[in-house]
Amino acid sequence: MELNRKKTVLMAIAIPMSLAVNAQNTLSTDTLADQTLEEYVVVAQKPLVKMKTDKMTYNVKEDADSKTSTVLDMLRKVPMVTVDGQDNITVNGSSSFKVYVNGKQSLMFSSNPSQIFKSMPASAVKSIEVITNPGAKYDAEGTGGVLNIVMDGAQGNSNMSGMTGNVRITAGSKVLGGGAFISGQEGKLSYSANAIINQTRSKDTDIEFIREQYGEAGTSTMNYKQKSDTKMPFKMANITLGYEPDSMSNIGLTAGITDFTMKNSGDPYTTMGGGIYGKGFSYGEWMRMDNKKVSFNASMDYQRFLNKERSSSIAFTYLFSHNPTTNENWREYKEETFVGDIPTGMTMNDMYSKAKEKSTEHTGQIDFTTPIAQGHTLNAGAKFIARNNESQSDYFNVMDGENVINDALCMDYTQKNSIIAGYAEYDGRWGKWGTKAGLRYEHTWQDVEFGKGKGENFKNDYGNLVPTANISLQLAPAMNIGLTYDMRIARPGISYLNPYVDRSSTTSISYGNPDLDVEKTHNIGMVYNFYSAKFMTSITLKHSICDNGIEQYSFYEDNLLNTTYGNIVKRRQTSLNVFANLMIAKDTKIFLNGGASYNDFRSTALDTNNHGWQANMMIGLQHKLPWEINSGIYLISNSKTYTLQGWNSGFNMISANFSKSLLKDRLNIGISGMAGLAKDGELRFDAWSKGKDFQNRQRIHVPMSSVMLNVTYNFGNMKFKAKDKRNNIKNDVIEHKSMMENLNNMEMKQ
């Protein structure tokens, strides 16, 4: 092979394998140095996505847009993840998934992921892992799998010393905030810390509900209109410490706190007429809702290696999580806006309600891994979870400016769960074939008590046997195919179970169902992966079966629309997801992340069914402009989606990012913007649902046009010390790379 000096060549790297790869299939930089490649420029695409049969890893740090985007923006690009126009996240086609941070479960992130990710800068994240077939080691909860956010920071590499960090400022038409990050290594101690604070605001969102109710009195109609104002202050801080007391063990400590509030206010106007409302009437209100969520998480883990090769180990982990939530609602009627006569029997009074929920969890876990032969590994472990959920809900009638408690509408509720689990998993490879199979058993003891309000105390226990398996075949050095199967469960949380009746709306009520059962879903999938220096793709075909799906549904009773939950749906979903990334020139690449699915919902309890096709797509172009300016432009489109009782409309939006690094990459300045493709840059959402005696239509217009400036200054330096001959830890975090992955990671410049 002959290359001209000082000529950039874009190609699949064709270095002879005998020179480029050592016996361990890792790139030998010493050998490459002997070949005097410093005279040439060889450019290959760094892998943006690492693809395995059961897991996808999106390398956020390798995406130029990470300097100007949020984590939610990055998720729109991640394979097997969909973010709709209202920031709802689905993983592997399901809205039921678990969120882990640095490999540890986070209850706060799992309970409110979209709002947190919307507030987190992508520059604080190293990578995002989508574990579509989690395996027996992971909890069985989360039908969509696991979304693992790997934060940026020191990785505990004893070959490095020093400190790095950055400070960030973000300002835009809808957001203002900043943050700071620091990480370092001093001898056997590694550390990192991160702090974020910002406030976002969305003004002038138009909301309209049109409801028709059918009965003996005829058709009753309600029209509700509101222009809302939403403020979302967000604060987060965390710290991570790692220590290696000797070459055979390590200790890790983490602690973090998150504080998120959503404040929504507006002046809705409601018109009713026909049927039970007679000649009709109308009225205006003032409403406000404050929802505050705080989370504190801490963990400690210890890992001990049992042999000199560090391939056998035992690990102990303790996790503590405390998550209090407060939800306050105010409603005041404007007497001067009343038109017409209020029907007999309908009471309308000012109200105030306050609901407090608190979840506290203690988790202890032990994991053991050992090789049983060359290329064959056994993993086993046990886990205990003590999870306590508490809810206190108070309802007040406001009379003459005083809050008068209404005991009949108040409720205290406690739910205690004790969960014990054990698992065993085999991971093996025979030449080009690989397999992973495991079995997990979880048993749950549940104790529910009512301190106030309607409800009977009860105790319950149940067990779930959860199998997982996948098999893969390496068709070529850069191509593999795999088959997967798993069973996932979804335990209903306290908001689904809590029977407290929310009466913050005049015409509707909502409440949970304490009789909900565990949802079980069977997933069968096929995965195809291919990657080269210029092109990579991943295609996933999946079929899901669920016969006791938890579904939100509505019905009319006593002239009020009731909304609750039930194990009432049989759900079938067949989906195809595609991720493709093509480097068309040295400084230009395009990518596609999208999918299509056919969904079928059937409910005997409601005597209804629904089905249809739905699709989503994000197509993007990234290009390096003159003066080393990174640019990216993206088109995002979602089609109509279906539910048991109706559908939600799709949306179309566009976003763009531009960034420039200065002062030898110390300073980064970025500008980003987005807009809906409807009139005036809006996103417009329609939703329609129908029951036995009603139909409901919703229209929401969200002003999306926004521009944001992001400035980041990096400081510090990390240095390599003398080379350490110890083997790396071989676990889920440090992966074995194939020959082609190592070659694709090369980027040698003169």
Side-chain angles (χ1 to χ4, degrees), residues 160-235:
M160 303 183 72
S161 65
M163 178 269 293
T164 63
N166 64 57
V167 291
R168 308 178 296 273
I169 297 176
T170 300
S173 54
K174 296 181 182 295
V175 62
L176 178 64
F181 168 76
I182 187 172
S183 70
Q185 179 88 31
E186 296 295 338
K188 296 181 178 181
L189 177 68
S190 63
Y191 58 89
S192 67
N194 194 21
I196 302 169
I197 182 171
N198 66 33
Q199 168 138 0
T200 59
R201 184 172 186 178
S202 177
K203 297 180 63 177
D204 298 330
T205 296
D206 287 323
I207 302 172
E208 182 178 12
F209 294 100
I210 301 173
R211 185 178 301 150
E212 295 182 355
Q213 179 187 355
Y214 314 117
E216 294 180 358
T219 300
S220 308
T221 62
M222 183 204 76
N223 186 280
Y224 173 100
K225 293 183 178 181
Q226 177 188 341
K227 190 180 290 292
S228 69
D229 183 5
T230 304
K231 300 177 182 178
M232 292 176 288
F234 174 84
K235 296 182 284 292

Side-chain angles (χ1 to χ4, degrees), residues 69-76 81 83 87-89 91 97-101 106 108-123 125 127-129 147-151 196 198 200 234 236 258 260:
S69 302
T70 67
V71 175
L72 191 70
D73 295 328
M74 290 291 105
L75 283 172
R76 297 183 190 275
V81 178
V83 182
D87 299 333
N88 299 308
I89 303 171
V91 175
F97 59 91
K98 290 294 182 182
V99 180
Y100 282 53
V101 178
S106 172
M108 178 60 186
F109 278 62
S110 295
S111 64
N112 198 24
S114 64
Q115 298 299 338
I116 293 177
F117 293 149
K118 186 190 299 185
S119 303
M120 288 180 62
S123 58
V125 173
S127 62
I128 299 173
E129 297 177 347
L147 195 64
N148 183 32
I149 309 299
V150 181
M151 304 296 292
I196 302 169
N198 66 33
T200 59
F234 174 84
M236 187 178 80
T258 305
F260 168 75

